Amino acid sequence: MAKHIPVELGKQYEIDITGMGFQGEGVGRIENFAVFVKGALKGEKVKVDIEKVQKNFAFGKLIKILNISEQRTNPICPIYELCGGCQIQHLTYEGQLEFKRERVENVINRIGKITDVKIHRTLGMANPYRYRNKVQLPVRRENGEIKIGFFKQGTHDVIDIDECFIQDEVADKVVNLTKEWIDKYRIEPYDEKDGSGLIRHIMIRRAFVTGEVMIVIVTNENELPYKDEFIDLMLNNIDGLKSIVHNINNKITNVILGERNILLWGQNYITDYIGKFKFRISPLSFFQVNPVQTNVLYNKALEFADLTGDEVVFDAYCGTGTISLFLAQRAKKVYGVEIVEEAIKNAKENAVENEVKNVEFIVGESEAIIPKLIEKGVIPDVVVVDPPRKGCDEKLLHSIANANPSRIVYVSCDPSTLARDLNLLERLGYKTIEIQPVDMFPQTAHVECVTLMSKP
Ligand SMILES: C[S@@+](CC[C@H](N)C(=O)[O-])C[C@H]1O[C@@H](n2cnc3c(N)ncnc32)[C@H](O)[C@@H]1O
C-alpha cells in the first residue's frame, strides 16, 4: 500500500519547528512527516510553502515567522542568505554552540546507540568572526562584471564579496586589489563552461601569530601578464606580505590548486605557531583553518590522552604531524602515520624545526601500517585517530582493539561517522567516557569533536 503523505506540493502550512537538521535547517512535523525549512529555528512557529516532496520528508520555503525564537539574531553579513559559506548566522552564538552539542548527542544516541556518555557544552570562541586563516575564492566574469567570492549554495554562480566576516580582513583587501588589477589591465577571468580565460582563483593565507601573508594567484596558463604590476600593487598595500606565488592549474577540475608553483616574490612559505610549536605553511600544505580553536582542540586531545611520559602513542591520520608534536611533549615515543607523502615530509621537517626527537613519521595507510607496527612488537599504550570525514577504516579499528591500548582518543570532523566508529569500538570492548565538541567553524553547521574511550 502506498505510504500516506500528509503534505501537498505548492500548498501552505503552519508548522512548529521542533528540531534542527544537519545543515542548520529547522525541522517540523505534519502528522509525523518531517518538513525541512531553511532559515527557521527550533522553537519557532512558521508558515511554509511546500516546494519539494519526497518519500519520507518534504522541503518548505519559509514564508513567515509566526512566533520568533529568542535565539534568532540579525546576521551581520549582508549577503548571508545568498552565499553558501555560512549556514547559521541567524542563530545567536550561544544557540550555535547548543545546536552543535545537540547534533552530536543526536547521532551518538541514534547511530552510535550510546546513551550513557557525557557530551560537554561546545567549546566556543570569544570572538566567533574573522577566524579563518585561509580563503580560496573563484574569479569569474558574469554579465560583464568581475566577481570574486563564494559560490551561491548548490551552484557555480559566484556571489561577489567586498567583505567576508569569517575570514581575515587582509583577504578582503587582496580581493579588492585583485579586481582593480584585472579591470585595469583587462585580464580575462576563467570561464568554467569552455575552459577559456586566465585567472581561476585567488588564495590568501594569513598566519595568525606571526601575521605573515601569502597570496597565491591560480591561472589556467603558464604565463601571467602584468605580473610586476600585480606584485607592486600588493607590496604597496598589504602589510606582512612574505610570499606571492603563481600556481598553474590547466586541468578541467574542481580541484583549486594545480601542481606547479612559480615563486613571484618573497619566499615560498609562511610560518605560524600552534601553541609553542612552529610550522612552515607552503601553498599546497594542509593546515587547520582556525588556529585559535586548533590549539583548544589539540590541548583537549592531549588532556584526554593523559600521558605520563612513559607511553608509546600512535597518531593515525597525522597530516603534517601537528597533533604528534603536541603528544610528544608528554610521551616516550609517538608514531605518526599519514597517507600523503608530502605531508609526512612536512611532518619530519616540523619535528626537526621544533627539536622534537621522540617522534617517527611513516607514510602509508593507517589500516596497513599500524597492524604491521603491532606485528613487529610496537604496542601502543594510547592511540589517537583524526580521520577525514569518512571516518576510520574498520580494519584499523579491529587492529587497535586487538593491541589493547588503555585509551583511545578520537578527533573527528563528522559526528555521524564518529558515532558509527564508536559503536564498533564499544562492541570491541571499549567504553565511551566523554565527548567534547569544539567549535572550529563558527557561523557554519560544521562541528568537530574529541572523544575519550577507555577499557572498563
Ligand atoms: C582530518 S585530517 C587530520 C590531519 C592532522 N591530524 C591535523 O590535525 O592537521 C585527516 C588526514 O588523514 C589523511 N588520510 C586519509 N586517509 C588516510 C589513510 N587511509 N591512512 C592515513 N592517512 C589518511 C589525510 O591525508 C589527512 O591528512
Side-chain angles (χ1 to χ4, degrees), residues 140-160:
R140 300 289 181 269
R141 185 184 291 280
E142 282 171 18
N143 304 324
E145 242 179 80
I146 305 295
K147 295 199 169 172
I148 304 183
F150 291 104
F151 288 129
K152 186 175 168 187
Q153 214 165 16
T155 74
H156 269 205
D157 300 340
V158 174
I159 301 291
D160 203 30

PDB file of all heavy atoms in Angstrom, residues 140-160:
ATOM      1  N   ARG A 140      35.576  35.144 -11.583  1.00  0.00           N
ATOM      2  CA  ARG A 140      34.769  34.928 -12.786  1.00  0.00           C
ATOM      3  C   ARG A 140      34.304  36.257 -13.349  1.00  0.00           C
ATOM      4  O   ARG A 140      34.293  37.278 -12.661  1.00  0.00           O
ATOM      5  CB  ARG A 140      33.514  34.080 -12.468  1.00  0.00           C
ATOM      6  CG  ARG A 140      33.783  32.701 -11.903  1.00  0.00           C
ATOM      7  CD  ARG A 140      34.363  31.734 -12.946  1.00  0.00           C
ATOM      8  NE  ARG A 140      34.576  30.415 -12.371  1.00  0.00           N
ATOM      9  CZ  ARG A 140      35.722  30.007 -11.794  1.00  0.00           C
ATOM     10  NH1 ARG A 140      36.760  30.819 -11.726  1.00  0.00           N
ATOM     11  NH2 ARG A 140      35.833  28.792 -11.287  1.00  0.00           N
ATOM     12  N   ARG A 141      33.868  36.230 -14.642  1.00  0.00           N
ATOM     13  CA  ARG A 141      33.183  37.397 -15.194  1.00  0.00           C
ATOM     14  C   ARG A 141      31.743  36.977 -15.427  1.00  0.00           C
ATOM     15  O   ARG A 141      31.474  35.979 -16.100  1.00  0.00           O
ATOM     16  CB  ARG A 141      33.828  37.837 -16.508  1.00  0.00           C
ATOM     17  CG  ARG A 141      33.219  39.128 -17.055  1.00  0.00           C
ATOM     18  CD  ARG A 141      33.806  39.481 -18.403  1.00  0.00           C
ATOM     19  NE  ARG A 141      35.199  39.890 -18.357  1.00  0.00           N
ATOM     20  CZ  ARG A 141      35.622  41.108 -18.002  1.00  0.00           C
ATOM     21  NH1 ARG A 141      34.768  42.025 -17.647  1.00  0.00           N
ATOM     22  NH2 ARG A 141      36.903  41.402 -18.020  1.00  0.00           N
ATOM     23  N   GLU A 142      30.814  37.700 -14.821  1.00  0.00           N
ATOM     24  CA  GLU A 142      29.393  37.387 -15.035  1.00  0.00           C
ATOM     25  C   GLU A 142      28.687  38.667 -15.440  1.00  0.00           C
ATOM     26  O   GLU A 142      28.827  39.691 -14.751  1.00  0.00           O
ATOM     27  CB  GLU A 142      28.773  36.788 -13.763  1.00  0.00           C
ATOM     28  CG  GLU A 142      29.142  35.314 -13.585  1.00  0.00           C
ATOM     29  CD  GLU A 142      28.737  34.729 -12.243  1.00  0.00           C
ATOM     30  OE1 GLU A 142      27.881  35.324 -11.558  1.00  0.00           O
ATOM     31  OE2 GLU A 142      29.295  33.683 -11.877  1.00  0.00           O
ATOM     32  N   ASN A 143      27.946  38.612 -16.551  1.00  0.00           N
ATOM     33  CA  ASN A 143      27.268  39.781 -17.117  1.00  0.00           C
ATOM     34  C   ASN A 143      28.232  40.973 -17.240  1.00  0.00           C
ATOM     35  O   ASN A 143      27.894  42.100 -16.870  1.00  0.00           O
ATOM     36  CB  ASN A 143      26.052  40.200 -16.273  1.00  0.00           C
ATOM     37  CG  ASN A 143      25.087  39.042 -16.116  1.00  0.00           C
ATOM     38  OD1 ASN A 143      24.924  38.252 -17.044  1.00  0.00           O
ATOM     39  ND2 ASN A 143      24.482  38.919 -14.942  1.00  0.00           N
ATOM     40  N   GLY A 144      29.440  40.679 -17.698  1.00  0.00           N
ATOM     41  CA  GLY A 144      30.425  41.727 -17.950  1.00  0.00           C
ATOM     42  C   GLY A 144      31.172  42.203 -16.708  1.00  0.00           C
ATOM     43  O   GLY A 144      32.132  42.951 -16.810  1.00  0.00           O
ATOM     44  N   GLU A 145      30.753  41.762 -15.535  1.00  0.00           N
ATOM     45  CA  GLU A 145      31.376  42.259 -14.302  1.00  0.00           C
ATOM     46  C   GLU A 145      32.333  41.233 -13.692  1.00  0.00           C
ATOM     47  O   GLU A 145      32.029  40.038 -13.708  1.00  0.00           O
ATOM     48  CB  GLU A 145      30.269  42.484 -13.273  1.00  0.00           C
ATOM     49  CG  GLU A 145      30.134  43.912 -12.830  1.00  0.00           C
ATOM     50  CD  GLU A 145      29.007  44.009 -11.834  1.00  0.00           C
ATOM     51  OE1 GLU A 145      29.252  43.673 -10.667  1.00  0.00           O
ATOM     52  OE2 GLU A 145      27.894  44.388 -12.241  1.00  0.00           O
ATOM     53  N   ILE A 146      33.447  41.701 -13.119  1.00  0.00           N
ATOM     54  CA  ILE A 146      34.380  40.790 -12.431  1.00  0.00           C
ATOM     55  C   ILE A 146      33.775  40.426 -11.076  1.00  0.00           C
ATOM     56  O   ILE A 146      33.383  41.304 -10.306  1.00  0.00           O
ATOM     57  CB  ILE A 146      35.745  41.469 -12.169  1.00  0.00           C
ATOM     58  CG1 ILE A 146      36.351  42.002 -13.457  1.00  0.00           C
ATOM     59  CG2 ILE A 146      36.703  40.543 -11.443  1.00  0.00           C
ATOM     60  CD1 ILE A 146      36.718  40.954 -14.454  1.00  0.00           C
ATOM     61  N   LYS A 147      33.743  39.124 -10.798  1.00  0.00           N
ATOM     62  CA  LYS A 147      33.235  38.698  -9.490  1.00  0.00           C
ATOM     63  C   LYS A 147      34.259  37.802  -8.804  1.00  0.00           C
ATOM     64  O   LYS A 147      34.770  36.858  -9.406  1.00  0.00           O
ATOM     65  CB  LYS A 147      31.923  37.948  -9.657  1.00  0.00           C
ATOM     66  CG  LYS A 147      30.825  38.852 -10.198  1.00  0.00           C
ATOM     67  CD  LYS A 147      29.471  38.285  -9.954  1.00  0.00           C
ATOM     68  CE  LYS A 147      28.446  39.357 -10.268  1.00  0.00           C
ATOM     69  NZ  LYS A 147      27.103  38.858 -10.233  1.00  0.00           N
ATOM     70  N   ILE A 148      34.529  38.120  -7.546  1.00  0.00           N
ATOM     71  CA  ILE A 148      35.407  37.268  -6.729  1.00  0.00           C
ATOM     72  C   ILE A 148      34.634  37.010  -5.439  1.00  0.00           C
ATOM     73  O   ILE A 148      34.232  37.948  -4.754  1.00  0.00           O
ATOM     74  CB  ILE A 148      36.755  37.945  -6.401  1.00  0.00           C
ATOM     75  CG1 ILE A 148      37.473  38.374  -7.696  1.00  0.00           C
ATOM     76  CG2 ILE A 148      37.630  37.015  -5.583  1.00  0.00           C
ATOM     77  CD1 ILE A 148      38.847  39.001  -7.497  1.00  0.00           C
ATOM     78  N   GLY A 149      34.375  35.740  -5.145  1.00  0.00           N
ATOM     79  CA  GLY A 149      33.577  35.483  -3.941  1.00  0.00           C
ATOM     80  C   GLY A 149      33.358  34.007  -3.726  1.00  0.00           C
ATOM     81  O   GLY A 149      34.170  33.180  -4.134  1.00  0.00           O
ATOM     82  N   PHE A 150      32.239  33.671  -3.083  1.00  0.00           N
ATOM     83  CA  PHE A 150      31.903  32.269  -2.841  1.00  0.00           C
ATOM     84  C   PHE A 150      30.846  31.831  -3.842  1.00  0.00           C
ATOM     85  O   PHE A 150      30.108  32.658  -4.378  1.00  0.00           O
ATOM     86  CB  PHE A 150      31.343  32.096  -1.425  1.00  0.00           C
ATOM     87  CG  PHE A 150      32.380  32.304  -0.362  1.00  0.00           C
ATOM     88  CD1 PHE A 150      32.413  33.477   0.365  1.00  0.00           C
ATOM     89  CD2 PHE A 150      33.328  31.329  -0.102  1.00  0.00           C
ATOM     90  CE1 PHE A 150      33.372  33.683   1.335  1.00  0.00           C
ATOM     91  CE2 PHE A 150      34.295  31.524   0.867  1.00  0.00           C
ATOM     92  CZ  PHE A 150      34.315  32.703   1.587  1.00  0.00           C
ATOM     93  N   PHE A 151      30.747  30.509  -4.053  1.00  0.00           N
ATOM     94  CA  PHE A 151      29.679  30.005  -4.898  1.00  0.00           C
ATOM     95  C   PHE A 151      28.354  30.095  -4.138  1.00  0.00           C
ATOM     96  O   PHE A 151      28.292  29.767  -2.948  1.00  0.00           O
ATOM     97  CB  PHE A 151      29.931  28.546  -5.282  1.00  0.00           C
ATOM     98  CG  PHE A 151      31.048  28.368  -6.275  1.00  0.00           C
ATOM     99  CD1 PHE A 151      32.072  27.456  -6.044  1.00  0.00           C
ATOM    100  CD2 PHE A 151      31.064  29.104  -7.454  1.00  0.00           C
ATOM    101  CE1 PHE A 151      33.099  27.289  -6.964  1.00  0.00           C
ATOM    102  CE2 PHE A 151      32.091  28.940  -8.383  1.00  0.00           C
ATOM    103  CZ  PHE A 151      33.115  28.034  -8.138  1.00  0.00           C
ATOM    104  N   LYS A 152      27.312  30.526  -4.855  1.00  0.00           N
ATOM    105  CA  LYS A 152      25.969  30.535  -4.277  1.00  0.00           C
ATOM    106  C   LYS A 152      25.609  29.081  -3.978  1.00  0.00           C
ATOM    107  O   LYS A 152      25.945  28.190  -4.778  1.00  0.00           O
ATOM    108  CB  LYS A 152      25.019  31.109  -5.336  1.00  0.00           C
ATOM    109  CG  LYS A 152      23.623  31.318  -4.882  1.00  0.00           C
ATOM    110  CD  LYS A 152      22.869  31.994  -6.012  1.00  0.00           C
ATOM    111  CE  LYS A 152      21.392  31.961  -5.729  1.00  0.00           C
ATOM    112  NZ  LYS A 152      20.625  32.441  -6.864  1.00  0.00           N
ATOM    113  N   GLN A 153      24.921  28.843  -2.851  1.00  0.00           N
ATOM    114  CA  GLN A 153      24.669  27.475  -2.400  1.00  0.00           C
ATOM    115  C   GLN A 153      24.113  26.595  -3.528  1.00  0.00           C
ATOM    116  O   GLN A 153      23.155  26.975  -4.212  1.00  0.00           O
ATOM    117  CB  GLN A 153      23.668  27.501  -1.256  1.00  0.00           C
ATOM    118  CG  GLN A 153      23.948  26.410  -0.258  1.00  0.00           C
ATOM    119  CD  GLN A 153      23.194  26.661   1.036  1.00  0.00           C
ATOM    120  OE1 GLN A 153      22.266  27.447   1.084  1.00  0.00           O
ATOM    121  NE2 GLN A 153      23.593  25.973   2.074  1.00  0.00           N
ATOM    122  N   GLY A 154      24.746  25.461  -3.752  1.00  0.00           N
ATOM    123  CA  GLY A 154      24.271  24.493  -4.732  1.00  0.00           C
ATOM    124  C   GLY A 154      24.503  24.901  -6.186  1.00  0.00           C
ATOM    125  O   GLY A 154      23.967  24.260  -7.096  1.00  0.00           O
ATOM    126  N   THR A 155      25.277  25.953  -6.455  1.00  0.00           N
ATOM    127  CA  THR A 155      25.509  26.387  -7.844  1.00  0.00           C
ATOM    128  C   THR A 155      26.992  26.706  -8.030  1.00  0.00           C
ATOM    129  O   THR A 155      27.769  26.644  -7.081  1.00  0.00           O
ATOM    130  CB  THR A 155      24.747  27.695  -8.163  1.00  0.00           C
ATOM    131  OG1 THR A 155      25.427  28.780  -7.506  1.00  0.00           O
ATOM    132  CG2 THR A 155      23.303  27.654  -7.716  1.00  0.00           C
ATOM    133  N   HIS A 156      27.340  27.070  -9.281  1.00  0.00           N
ATOM    134  CA  HIS A 156      28.680  27.606  -9.513  1.00  0.00           C
ATOM    135  C   HIS A 156      28.607  29.085  -9.905  1.00  0.00           C
ATOM    136  O   HIS A 156      29.474  29.606 -10.590  1.00  0.00           O
ATOM    137  CB  HIS A 156      29.423  26.754 -10.557  1.00  0.00           C
ATOM    138  CG  HIS A 156      30.222  25.656  -9.920  1.00  0.00           C
ATOM    139  ND1 HIS A 156      31.316  25.082 -10.474  1.00  0.00           N
ATOM    140  CD2 HIS A 156      30.076  25.048  -8.716  1.00  0.00           C
ATOM    141  CE1 HIS A 156      31.808  24.161  -9.660  1.00  0.00           C
ATOM    142  NE2 HIS A 156      31.065  24.116  -8.584  1.00  0.00           N
ATOM    143  N   ASP A 157      27.524  29.759  -9.472  1.00  0.00           N
ATOM    144  CA  ASP A 157      27.420  31.208  -9.682  1.00  0.00           C
ATOM    145  C   ASP A 157      28.171  31.884  -8.541  1.00  0.00           C
ATOM    146  O   ASP A 157      27.947  31.562  -7.371  1.00  0.00           O
ATOM    147  CB  ASP A 157      25.953  31.684  -9.598  1.00  0.00           C
ATOM    148  CG  ASP A 157      25.098  31.012 -10.648  1.00  0.00           C
ATOM    149  OD1 ASP A 157      25.673  30.511 -11.632  1.00  0.00           O
ATOM    150  OD2 ASP A 157      23.860  30.970 -10.467  1.00  0.00           O
ATOM    151  N   VAL A 158      29.045  32.818  -8.912  1.00  0.00           N
ATOM    152  CA  VAL A 158      29.855  33.461  -7.868  1.00  0.00           C
ATOM    153  C   VAL A 158      29.099  34.641  -7.250  1.00  0.00           C
ATOM    154  O   VAL A 158      28.576  35.501  -7.955  1.00  0.00           O
ATOM    155  CB  VAL A 158      31.211  33.941  -8.445  1.00  0.00           C
ATOM    156  CG1 VAL A 158      31.993  34.726  -7.411  1.00  0.00           C
ATOM    157  CG2 VAL A 158      32.017  32.747  -8.921  1.00  0.00           C
ATOM    158  N   ILE A 159      29.030  34.642  -5.924  1.00  0.00           N
ATOM    159  CA  ILE A 159      28.465  35.780  -5.200  1.00  0.00           C
ATOM    160  C   ILE A 159      29.625  36.700  -4.857  1.00  0.00           C
ATOM    161  O   ILE A 159      30.531  36.312  -4.116  1.00  0.00           O
ATOM    162  CB  ILE A 159      27.772  35.312  -3.893  1.00  0.00           C
ATOM    163  CG1 ILE A 159      26.665  34.313  -4.187  1.00  0.00           C
ATOM    164  CG2 ILE A 159      27.271  36.482  -3.078  1.00  0.00           C
ATOM    165  CD1 ILE A 159      25.466  34.895  -4.886  1.00  0.00           C
ATOM    166  N   ASP A 160      29.584  37.876  -5.432  1.00  0.00           N
ATOM    167  CA  ASP A 160      30.686  38.817  -5.252  1.00  0.00           C
ATOM    168  C   ASP A 160      30.750  39.280  -3.795  1.00  0.00           C
ATOM    169  O   ASP A 160      29.717  39.588  -3.207  1.00  0.00           O
ATOM    170  CB  ASP A 160      30.386  40.028  -6.149  1.00  0.00           C
ATOM    171  CG  ASP A 160      31.641  40.788  -6.485  1.00  0.00           C
ATOM    172  OD1 ASP A 160      32.709  40.162  -6.550  1.00  0.00           O
ATOM    173  OD2 ASP A 160      31.544  42.013  -6.667  1.00  0.00           O
TER     174      ASP A 160
END
